[in-house]
Amino acid sequence: MSLGNQLSPGMAQLIDLPVVTDPRGDLTFVEGGNHVPFDIARVYYLYNVPVDAERGGHAHRQLQQVVFALSGSFRLRVDDGKAREEYWLRDPRQGAFINRLIWREMDRFSQGAVCMVLASHPYDETDYIRDYDEFLQAAARARVR
Amino acid sequence: MSLGNQLSPGMAQLIDLPVVTDPRGDLTFVEGGNHVPFDIARVYYLYNVPVDAERGGHAHRQLQQVVFALSGSFRLRVDDGKAREEYWLRDPRQGAFINRLIWREMDRFSQGAVCMVLASHPYDETDYIRDYDEFLQAAARARVR
């Protein structure tokens, strides 16, 4: 598994995934530990999202994730405690890797958008940081280490 | 992991997944070894599928999969070598488990449909059975065992 070495610990990183094109439709595949830098413990997806909804608004202590727009589009904003970046996800062939200790927000969902996320661990509420000031402190401590 | 014990080795089995409903949209999650009876080695998805396309047309010797309609709908036809069944997938909260040695075909994709599949193993071309007569023989041998 070499991808992990290519990923810096900072902001979201776009991962271009393989596509098998065919007159019968396109197929994209993702293998844990190969195309994403972790084993896939959990898959979740957001749907029926109102176009004015905002999702996210938290960071994770340990969890790593890759976010995809499987249908439609949305905006992903990430923040490592020092700087912010934004990405528009609209291509099913491209995932955005979000490392630990990155605050993320998603909005501007298009009608019928589907956001799929591959996650490195099962759900664990204690891994969430939902308070932005607490996130800033944790990110600062991580930079000092 | 108890789900594996509930699944017979025959046709597709519908799995109802958890939903976290929220005014900001619905979220469904799937943990490997918990909601599906295997660790998730690979995720793939079909998109840009023409409405008259037919997908599938093969069986697997070992691979187990769960198929979802994350957007739109399609028909899943399964065949264990003795009988056939069909399912219409249209609800992101429901997955269809397909065991090894089940011939599957998918068609009647709606406009914009997205089919996501969770798979128990990485891609392996030698695991495919693409000839229907060869599938019937393999399924018959498996029933004798």
Side-chain angles (χ1 to χ4, degrees), chain A residues 6-56:
Chain A
Q6 298 166 24
L7 295 166
S8 70
M11 296 290 197
Q13 331 252 334
L14 296 180
I15 299 173
D16 290 318
L17 292 157
V19 187
V20 182
T21 55
D22 190 300
R24 302 171 304 145
D26 296 329
L27 186 155
T28 286
F29 57 93
V30 190
E31 292 179 357
N34 184 3
H35 308 98
V36 298
F38 50 76
D39 290 337
I40 300 165
R42 178 168 49 119
V43 177
Y44 66 88
Y45 38 95
L46 295 164
Y47 50 101
N48 297 336
V49 181
V51 294
D52 59 351
E54 297 182 7
R55 306 284 316 206

Side-chain angles (χ1 to χ4, degrees), chain B residues 108-139:
Chain B
R108 308 284 182 91
F109 287 87
S110 69
Q111 186 87 35
V114 176
C115 167
M116 180 186 75
V117 181
L118 308 181
S120 62
H121 292 84
Y123 178 80
D124 175 7
E125 180 58 35
T126 67
D127 189 61
Y128 281 76
I129 304 176
R130 298 186 186 276
D131 179 83
Y132 186 71
D133 288 334
E134 184 186 344
F135 157 69
L136 289 178
Q137 293 167 17

Side-chain angles (χ1 to χ4, degrees), chain B residues 63-82:
Chain B
L63 192 71
Q64 297 181 314
Q65 298 183 295
V66 182
V67 177
F68 302 79
L70 290 202
S71 189
S73 61
F74 55 88
R75 179 171 68 168
L76 168 68
R77 291 187 291 181
V78 289
D79 175 344
D80 67 359
K82 291 178 65 180

Side-chain angles (χ1 to χ4, degrees), chain B residues 32-102:
Chain B
N34 185 4
H35 307 99
V36 297
F38 50 77
D39 290 338
I40 300 166
R42 178 167 50 118
V43 177
Y44 66 88
Y45 37 96
L46 295 165
Y47 50 100
N48 297 335
V49 181
V51 294
D52 59 352
E54 297 183 8
R55 306 284 316 204
H58 62 262
H60 288 281
R61 298 177 201 284
Q62 295 300 330
L63 192 71
Q64 297 181 314
Q65 298 183 295
V66 182
V67 177
F68 302 79
L70 290 202
S71 189
S73 61
F74 55 88
R75 179 171 68 168
L76 168 68
R77 291 187 291 181
V78 289
D79 175 344
D80 67 359
K82 291 178 65 180
R84 297 178 185 195
E85 289 177 359
E86 72 173 46
Y87 303 84
W88 286 87
L89 297 183
R90 57 169 66 86
D91 185 342
R93 297 169 298 185
Q94 199 168 53
F97 172 80
I98 304 178
N99 213 333
R100 56 179 67 91
L101 290 177
I102 298 288

Side-chain angles (χ1 to χ4, degrees), chain A residues 51-114:
Chain A
V51 294
D52 59 351
E54 297 182 7
R55 306 284 316 206
H58 61 262
H60 287 281
R61 299 178 201 282
Q62 295 299 331
L63 191 71
Q64 297 180 314
Q65 298 182 296
V66 181
V67 177
F68 303 78
L70 290 203
S71 188
S73 61
F74 54 89
R75 180 171 68 168
L76 169 67
R77 291 188 290 180
V78 288
D79 175 345
D80 67 0
K82 290 177 66 181
R84 296 177 186 197
E85 289 178 359
E86 73 173 45
Y87 303 84
W88 285 88
L89 296 183
R90 57 168 68 86
D91 185 342
R93 297 169 298 185
Q94 200 169 53
F97 173 79
I98 304 178
N99 214 332
R100 56 179 67 91
L101 290 176
I102 298 288
W103 188 268
R104 89 286 314 272
E105 293 169 357
M106 294 182 289
D107 64 1
R108 307 285 183 90
F109 287 86
S110 68
Q111 186 87 35
V114 175

